[in-house]
Amino acid sequence: MDSSKAIYKALKDNNINFIVSVPCINLARVLEMIDQDKEIKHIPVTREEEGFGIAAGAYMAGENTAILMQNSGLGNSINVIASLYKLYRIPILMIISHRGTQGEFMKAQIPMGEATPLLLEALKIPYHVPSTPEEAYNDIKSAWKLAKAKKYPTAILLEVSFW
């Protein structure tokens, strides 16, 4: 199973039916598969905070939600995660393309790449860092199960080497 298919299959198998996303080259193939799936409502957004707001409303309407974004968007979303998701106990699965990790070609991505795990830890958001498609499939399953049980955000960090 290739990396993109593993992520898409895990989303499908866990009944994630409402996805917001901000474009990212590493997530492009996953987003194409999601766009072609009539059972998943996909809302592309221009800012991550906007996506979190839309997904919170979808959750309150009974949908199983995820956001697909690059880790730079995590920095943009700290307030909405802390003051909306954590306060009101809203689960969401964050699939995050983790730029700035080993193999990164763009130096500008490295500072936020180093800060990303620290930001998740500061927010006390459980996260997984799978290194293979099989691990990603299983990690998405357990992260979503935890998010639903605890009514809390969880994250999957997909490093540059994952792709």
Side-chain angles (χ1 to χ4, degrees):
M1 185 175 338
D2 82 9
S3 302
S4 296
K5 284 183 182 172
I7 295 164
Y8 171 74
K9 184 169 175 29
L11 292 168
K12 286 290 289 182
D13 290 352
N14 288 285
N15 299 314
I16 304 291
N17 60 359
F18 192 97
I19 294 174
V20 294
S21 69
V22 179
C24 170
I25 189 67
N26 290 339
L27 297 168
R29 287 197 50 234
V30 179
L31 294 175
E32 288 173 11
M33 288 182 246
I34 291 168
D35 270 340
Q36 294 173 2
D37 190 318
K38 302 293 182 206
E39 295 176 352
I40 298 175
K41 183 149 194 122
H42 178 213
I43 309 290
V45 295
T46 57
R47 299 271 308 179
E48 293 79 6
E49 315 90 289
E50 173 188 19
F52 277 105
I54 291 168
Y59 167 73
M60 291 177 201
E63 306 293 344
N64 293 322
T65 63
I67 185 167
L68 278 65
M69 63 184 190
Q70 192 178 98
N71 58 312
S72 58
L74 180 64
N76 296 338
S77 305
I78 296 297
N79 186 49
V80 72
I81 293 169
S83 62
L84 178 64
Y85 276 81
K86 289 182 66 175
L87 182 64
Y88 293 101
R89 302 179 47 94
I90 300 172
I92 189 166
L93 177 65
M94 298 185 284
I95 305 287
I96 302 172
S97 171
H98 190 182
R99 300 286 307 267
T101 55
Q102 185 157 2
E104 177 63 56
F105 69 94
M106 190 178 299
K107 280 187 168 187
Q109 297 283 356
I110 293 173
M112 188 60 191
E114 292 171 348
T116 296
L118 302 173
L119 290 172
L120 291 170
E121 290 163 14
L123 291 167
K124 298 183 173 95
I125 294 176
Y127 67 94
H128 299 263
V129 186
S131 58
T132 67
E134 292 75 20
E135 282 181 25
Y137 180 87
N138 292 324
D139 288 349
I140 288 170
K141 180 179 180 179
S142 62
W144 179 238
K145 184 177 178 181
L146 180 65
K148 284 188 357 183
K150 300 287 184 185
K151 296 188 175 188
Y152 206 80
T154 58
I156 304 293
L157 293 180
L158 302 170
E159 295 184 347
V160 172
S161 61
F162 175 78
W163 304 101

